[in-house]
Amino acid sequence: MNWQGVIEQYRRYLPVNEQTKVVTLLEGNTPLIPVPRFVDAIGGRFELYLKLEALNPTGSFKDRGMTLALTAAKTRGAEVVVCASTGNTSASAAAYAARAGLRAAVVLPHGKIALGKLAQALIYGARIVPIDGNFDDALNLVRALGDEPGVEIVNSINPFRIEGQKTAAFEICDALGRAPDFHFIPVGNAGNITAYWKGYKEYHAAGRVGTLPRMFGWQAAGAAPIVENRVIAQPETVATAIRIGNPASWQAAVAARDESGGVIGSVTDGEILHAYQLIAARDGIFVEPASAASLAGVIKAHAAGDLPAGSVLTATLTGHGLKDPDTAISVSDKLRPPVKPTLSAVLEVIRG
Ligand code: F0G
């Protein structure tokens, strides 16, 4: 049967029933792609598979949770969904609200949203509220908005979001026929690492896989509250998607780390941008900077000798590179001034 979205595919693991009218854009079923050239480039002797969440309908993993969240909001008779966002949640909420026939309002840190994400929220028709503050300020405001009548919060503090996002772990196990030994994932508001760990545990409990992965989460060094064990008042990183100083799912992420025997570490902006360019150049995969934190983490864990030969690794690539064209262009030194429209001038550039 054709793919019908994550709710239909994993219905028995999700909080829905026969009467539920599903709001979906047929999210999920994203590729799990091996990247041997990247592994060679870093001298690894493990297998690495990347979960390309960029190939969801709005270009990020958020769609998995948003199908559940908007389905629930619609069922409950909400009129407007609200979220704080570093960009992707707002894009996804806006799209799924349009699909559900509801209004979306998104509270965003002014000047810190990648261009493509802003374009998405606009074109899907969300009411955009830029604030002179960061994501953490925006989320505090949204928590208060949740008390208003007819309003449903669709940040990952809404448990339906986590329920939907756990389906990525199911898909990885289905594709591999087993659980990975290690799972690498970026950590921002910490909902996704929480969701994956829940998914892996539920599949294990259901007897679908015999083992559990160690969860290796990665924050940006300038926005690493869990690593530093303190709230970061002014988080800063090139990976704007994970520019968060006080994650909502902090304790759940720590539990995922500790229960799985894993790690939550940090990677610098330099390490993130190196991984960002390497995966594009070696394997033809263009992700946004926050997603490259997963891969910077693989490089770092490998350098530390933490990844035994023959291990099976998976890493989540959370969002599409096209969402943030400014960063791609700014890290590239290959954009040249125009030349004369002659064969010799063109050949000179190609050969040079
Ligand atoms: N990668 C991308 C591309 C993201 O957009 C986010 C979070 C993360 C990683 C981190 O996931 O928050 O579950 O730990 N973006 C949120 C947003 C905060 O508003 O779009 P997390």
Side-chain angles (χ1 to χ4, degrees):
M1 195 172 54
N2 287 343
W3 183 261
Q4 292 188 294
V6 298
I7 295 182
E8 291 308 336
Q9 184 70 17
Y10 294 109
R11 195 169 251 285
R12 64 201 181 98
Y13 299 95
L14 296 171
V16 291
N17 60 41
E18 292 310 309
Q19 279 74 54
T20 307
K21 283 183 71 184
V22 173
V23 178
T24 179
L25 286 162
L26 307 188
E27 60 296 312
N29 197 23
T30 55
L32 187 68
I33 182 166
V35 283
R37 285 175 46 80
F38 177 87
V39 174
D40 273 357
I42 65 171
R45 294 177 57 212
F46 42 77
E47 291 173 37
L48 175 61
Y49 299 88
L50 305 184
K51 187 67 170 155
L52 294 194
E53 291 293 273
L55 296 193
N56 278 299
T58 75
S60 86
F61 70 97
K62 306 287 182 180
D63 297 342
R64 294 180 183 277
M66 221 48 88
T67 180
L68 261 291
L70 264 294
T71 293
K74 182 92 175 161
T75 305
R76 290 180 190 173
E79 287 160 20
V80 53
V81 297
V82 297
C83 66
S85 185
T86 56
N88 281 321
T89 298
S90 63
S92 185
Y96 281 77
R99 189 78 165 166
L102 302 183
R103 287 188 294 129
V106 303
V107 185
L108 307 178
H110 175 64
K112 296 293 182 182
I113 306 296
L115 195 63
K117 303 175 188 180
L118 202 54
Q120 288 182 289
L122 285 166
I123 201 75
Y124 297 134
R127 176 67 53 91
I128 295 179
V129 189
I131 60 163
D132 287 323
N134 60 30
F135 171 85
D136 304 289
D137 301 322
L139 186 56
N140 284 337
L141 289 162
V142 163
R143 285 182 196 272
L145 285 174
D147 296 332
E148 299 288 320
V151 171
E152 191 88 6
I153 298 172
V154 295
N155 280 106
S156 57
I157 54 175
N158 176 334
F160 287 104
R161 283 275 314 280
I162 305 290
E163 289 299 313
Q165 285 173 209
K166 77 185 179 188
T167 60
F170 298 165
E171 287 181 17
I172 286 173
C173 295
D174 289 343
L176 290 176
R178 53 165 285 183
D181 298 313
F182 297 86
H183 187 93
F184 286 74
I185 189 166
V187 175
N189 211 24
N192 213 24
I193 189 172
T194 302
Y196 270 78
W197 182 235
K198 188 168 196 289
Y200 282 126
K201 282 194 299 185
E202 288 183 10
Y203 240 35
H204 185 250
R208 301 296 298 261
V209 288
T211 60
L212 289 166
R214 296 173 66 189
M215 300 299 296
F216 275 44
W218 300 92
Q219 302 196 294
I226 300 176
V227 179
E228 296 183 24
N229 198 26
R230 64 184 178 98
V231 170
I232 307 294
Q234 309 283 350
E236 270 312 336
T237 169
V238 67
T240 52
I242 52 173
R243 184 175 171 272
I244 295 175
N246 188 12
S249 297
W250 188 321
Q251 294 316 321
V254 167
R257 176 193 70 192
D258 295 347
E259 288 170 28
S260 73
V263 167
I264 295 181
S266 66
V267 283
T268 65
D269 280 4
E271 290 168 328
I272 288 172
L273 292 177
H274 171 68
Y276 170 74
Q277 293 173 88
L278 190 62
I279 193 62
R282 295 293 291 211
D283 280 291
I285 297 172
F286 183 25
V287 298
E288 62 173 289
S291 307
S294 287
L295 299 174
V298 170
I299 295 171
K300 192 165 180 175
H302 174 57
D306 290 342
L307 306 174
S311 306
V312 173
L313 278 56
T314 51
T316 306
L317 297 184
T318 46
H320 206 294
L322 288 172
K323 285 171 174 276
D324 189 356
D326 295 325
T327 300
I329 290 168
S330 73
V331 299
S332 176
D333 53 8
K334 298 194 178 67
L335 204 59
R336 292 162 182 275
V339 296
K340 285 207 180 71
T342 65
L343 190 57
S344 62
V346 170
L347 268 176
E348 198 182 310
V349 176
I350 292 172
R351 292 221 171 100

